[in-house]
Amino acid sequence: SFIGSDNTEGGRMAGKFLAEQIGGSGDVAVIRGRLGNPVELQRYTGFMEAIDAVDGVNMVAEGVANWEADQGFTVMEDLLVANPQIKGVFAEADRMALGAAQALIANGREDILVVGLDGIVEALRGVQDGTLAADVAQRPDLMGEYAVTSGKTYLETGKIENPIITPMTLAVKDNVDPLIRAWVDLGF
């Protein structure tokens, strides 16, 4: 059985948030992970569905950063040169979002919103301090819990749900503190 996040929904959550935060009008960009990766395609698909649903929001640029922070930095700088008018960017993974945010800071462009997806502690802290506008946080703690519970159920009944989707949280400044505390309490 698959136990994990719905990555298409995660991309959709990021796109809806970004479109709302820019007032339903303006240009956005996306920093993609490794092309050909199923998770990357799911996140991209969800993001594009959300952006395409808002007439005033235009996806004008994308770059590939292969899930890496340093590449996210470089791609963001390239996006800025070619599209200085963008209002927001979705990075399909937190490390790329953090790299993109650092590029924006280095270029004096903190006015551009950055949204990540994963829920790693560093990104959640970035939401807390305003470096990131939001982060779609996965819940690997629940993935583990669901795996144990499902395994027990399977041993008892011979049946298991498939797939088992774990919830995600749109982490913003108002709700991020408990998520950070949960990770710190788990030793991260």
Side-chain angles (χ1 to χ4, degrees), residues 92-126:
E92 294 176 340
D94 284 347
R95 299 236 179 263
M96 298 185 303
L98 292 166
Q102 290 308 308
L104 292 171
I105 291 167
N107 285 278
R109 291 299 308 272
E110 290 99 324
D111 59 304
I112 297 174
L113 303 176
V114 179
V115 178
L117 194 160
D118 279 329
I120 66 171
V121 175
E122 295 91 339
L124 296 174
R125 287 188 174 124

Side-chain angles (χ1 to χ4, degrees), residues 12-22 113 115 133-134 170 172:
R12 201 175 292 121
M13 290 168 69
K16 286 178 185 176
F17 175 83
L18 200 52
E20 289 170 5
Q21 293 303 300
I22 66 170
L113 303 176
V115 178
L170 181 65
V172 294

Side-chain angles (χ1 to χ4, degrees), residues 9 14 19-20 24-26 33 35 45 47 49 53 57 64-65 68 101 112 114 135 151 160 172 181-182 186-187:
E9 180 59 22
E20 289 170 5
S25 178
L35 298 183
T45 298
F47 178 73
E49 285 174 5
V57 178
V64 177
E68 300 295 332
I112 297 174
V114 179
D135 190 45
I160 192 167
V172 294
R181 274 194 305 278
L186 290 170

Side-chain angles (χ1 to χ4, degrees), residues 20-83:
E20 289 170 5
Q21 293 303 300
I22 66 170
S25 178
D27 294 341
V28 298
V30 62
I31 299 177
R32 300 180 70 173
R34 185 164 287 115
L35 298 183
N37 179 291
V39 169
E40 185 283 321
L41 183 58
Q42 293 163 359
R43 292 175 181 190
Y44 181 78
T45 298
F47 178 73
M48 290 306 300
E49 285 174 5
I51 294 304
D52 288 344
V54 183
D55 288 336
V57 178
N58 305 301
M59 217 292 285
V60 296
E62 59 184 69
V64 177
N66 296 303
W67 312 119
E68 300 295 332
D70 61 337
Q71 292 181 43
F73 185 100
T74 302
V75 168
M76 189 70 246
E77 285 195 318
D78 292 345
L79 293 174
L80 276 176
V81 170
N83 299 280

